[in-house]
Amino acid sequence: MGGRKAGVRAGAAIGCVLLLGGCGGAGNSGSARHEPVTVAKAPAQLPVPRGKGGKSADDFNGDGLRDLVLNDLVKSPDDAHGDDAGIGIVYGAGTGAAHGLAPGARQLLNPARQAARTKGQSPAVFDAEASCDLDRDGFTDLVVSTDPPYDGQGRPPVPLQILFGSPAGLSGRAVALVIPAAARAGNDWPDQPVCGDFDGDGAEDLVVHASDGRLSYLRGPFTRKGAPRAAGKPLPSPGTVPTGPALDVNRDGYDDLLVRTAEGPATSALVLGGPAGPTRTGTALPSGIDVALGRFGRGRALDAAVGSMDGTYLRYDLPAAVRDSISTPGSVLDAGDFDGDGVSELVSSGAELRILRGRTTGLSAAGMVTVPPPARGTTRVLTVADFTGDGRADLVVRTYDGETKDTVAVYAGNKETLVTAKPTVTFSTSEFLGMDS
């Protein structure tokens, strides 16, 4: 599929902003409220909590608590080079002050059981790509990338499938995403899905990569058979890699998205939503490894932080010009309001994990926080989001030690120290090994 892979929240993708889209806001005190769950005493599997639906982000069972999606699960030492193990979901659980991610409430999405078959074959690849409530029923749905059979001749099949949320979480078999022929262009794989309400009608849409600098724009809501409400001709695009999450950058009521010209070091540009969808090219950004959007100062619109190879961050006060330039190690970026003051912090990852404090005047390296890795290995940021509902972002990281050992850790947002000194929850994706569902 052209070597592209978006991911629900890839490390080299646009950072989640916790001031919009239900990711965070004003908060209260910042003490840790979870006893760490170590790999050795990870709880037995618990039932997925049943919900009634709502508007929370990444809430597949509709209980009002955010859930975590995990790709690239570790493999058994006896099968280190085997097929894709599937997708892991860790659900939020608990009541009152004691709630958040619960490693015991976990679910394995296996391609043999959950994927739609193509010509009678189950896919070998099953990767989570994007999440939003596509059918507008109050339960978040998951867009998954697969590898349908293709002989290399003509237009390839659509590799994307949708798993629908329900009171029991992600259940049943996926359905293939329908992209009408008129909405496609060329013979590239139609991938890189990004969710967003680009036309401002209250329903989630999808933008998908097409060929020759164009995007397929699929208007929601979607049917349970994977078909959009409408889809017109492909839209012109300033790049080939649409990148999520989509956000309303200029606060005009329409979601916008970032489009990169390539993976890795590349230029990018904002594409602005409107009544006709994402049709207008906005601010162009310079070449960088990564871009994160956040309110790093007190402006009305969001800012963009661009990370370069030499660890220099350029903050763009959108849609105007450069405001800040800060040099510090790291180049992969995320954003979130960890202390609940209404201003985003910037997470920088590379050899070390660092958080630059957001102030009303912009980002500041003063008081920068270094986050210790939870275990030996290579640490990467999984996501930045509010999993406890306290109005502060939490930092979720994953430390890899080869293909058979890892540690996922949650550092809770903290009013004074930005994040807790030690993880509040830890577990390994090895807990998904051998699960039936």
Side-chain angles (χ1 to χ4, degrees):
M1 283 169 263
R4 293 185 301 271
K5 178 181 174 184
V8 172
R9 177 59 186 98
I14 189 170
C16 178
V17 180
L18 306 182
L19 305 177
L20 298 175
C23 289
N28 43 31
S29 66
S31 60
R33 296 181 302 197
H34 303 272
E35 178 188 2
V37 180
T38 65
V39 173
K41 62 176 182 178
Q45 187 177 359
L46 300 172
V48 174
R50 295 188 67 87
K52 298 181 179 179
K55 297 183 178 180
S56 298
D58 286 348
D59 183 10
F60 303 109
N61 58 336
D63 65 348
L65 298 176
R66 196 178 189 113
D67 310 316
L68 177 67
V69 182
L70 296 159
N71 280 320
D72 303 319
L73 307 178
V74 298
K75 299 176 181 179
S76 165
D78 299 328
D79 190 30
H81 303 290
D83 290 339
D84 188 349
I87 301 165
I89 307 294
V90 176
Y91 287 87
T95 58
H99 65 269
L101 285 176
R106 57 188 182 267
Q107 178 186 22
L108 176 65
L109 304 174
N110 185 288
R113 291 186 298 269
Q114 274 85 24
R117 294 186 176 94
T118 303
K119 298 181 179 179
Q121 299 181 27
S122 294
V125 173
F126 205 54
D127 288 326
E129 297 284 357
S131 57
C132 56
D133 184 5
L134 290 170
D135 59 350
R136 213 173 181 181
D137 65 350
F139 300 91
T140 301
D141 311 310
L142 188 66
V143 183
V144 177
S145 181
T146 66
D147 58 341
Y150 175 53
D151 62 7
Q153 302 299 312
R155 179 170 286 180
V158 176
L160 302 174
Q161 300 184 6
I162 303 172
L163 275 164
F164 290 100
S166 74
L170 293 166
S171 59
R173 276 199 183 271
V175 300
L177 174 67
V178 176
I179 303 180
R184 296 188 62 176
N187 291 332
D188 282 2
W189 284 92
D191 56 8
Q192 298 283 21
V194 177
C195 291
D197 181 10
F198 301 107
D199 58 5
D201 67 352
E204 292 286 341
D205 312 313
L206 278 178
V207 164
V208 178
H209 164 78
S211 304
D212 304 322
R214 284 176 282 180
L215 302 174
S216 295
Y217 172 47
L218 312 177
R219 292 179 185 254
F222 288 69
T223 70
R224 299 287 291 201
K225 293 184 178 180
R229 176 178 61 85
K233 294 181 179 180
L235 302 177
S237 170
T240 60
V241 187
T243 307
L247 299 163
D248 183 3
V249 172
N250 53 4
R251 305 296 295 274
D252 64 353
Y254 304 98
D255 279 345
D256 315 305
L257 77 154
L258 190 82
V259 177
R260 298 174 65 81
T261 55
E263 289 189 331
T267 58
S268 57
L270 286 168
V271 177
L272 305 178
T279 60
R280 300 170 293 153
T281 298
T283 304
L285 300 174
S287 182
I289 294 178
D290 203 5
V291 179
L293 300 181
R295 186 166 292 112
F296 302 121
R298 283 292 189 185
R300 179 177 181 273
L302 300 185
D303 305 309
V306 181
S308 66
M309 290 289 288
D310 62 3
T312 299
Y313 303 109
L314 301 175
R315 181 175 74 91
Y316 276 70
D317 189 6
L318 300 176
V322 177
R323 290 287 301 276
D324 301 321
S325 179
I326 302 173
S327 294
T328 187
S331 54
V332 180
L333 309 180
D334 294 81
D337 182 7
F338 293 105
D339 54 5
D341 66 351
V343 179
S344 301
E345 277 71 50
L346 183 70
V347 180
S348 161
S349 61
E352 290 187 291
L353 272 162
R354 294 178 173 86
I355 304 176
L356 279 72
R357 191 178 294 272
R359 303 184 187 277
T360 56
T361 54
L363 291 169
S364 173
M368 181 172 59
V369 174
T370 300
V371 182
R376 179 186 301 175
T378 301
T379 300
R380 295 288 181 265
V381 176
L382 281 179
T383 191
V384 175
D386 181 6
F387 287 95
T388 60
D390 63 358
R392 292 187 298 273
D394 307 310
L395 175 65
V396 184
V397 304
R398 185 176 178 185
T399 297
Y400 300 83
D401 188 5
E403 292 188 343
T404 62
K405 188 175 181 181
D406 73 345
T407 301
V408 178
V410 181
Y411 295 83
N414 186 284
K415 185 176 181 180
E416 287 78 28
T417 61
L418 298 183
V419 294
T420 51
K422 295 182 179 181
T424 55
V425 175
T426 63
F427 63 94
S428 169
T429 65
S430 64
E431 296 301 320
F432 292 95
L433 292 173
M435 289 182 61
D436 293 329
S437 61

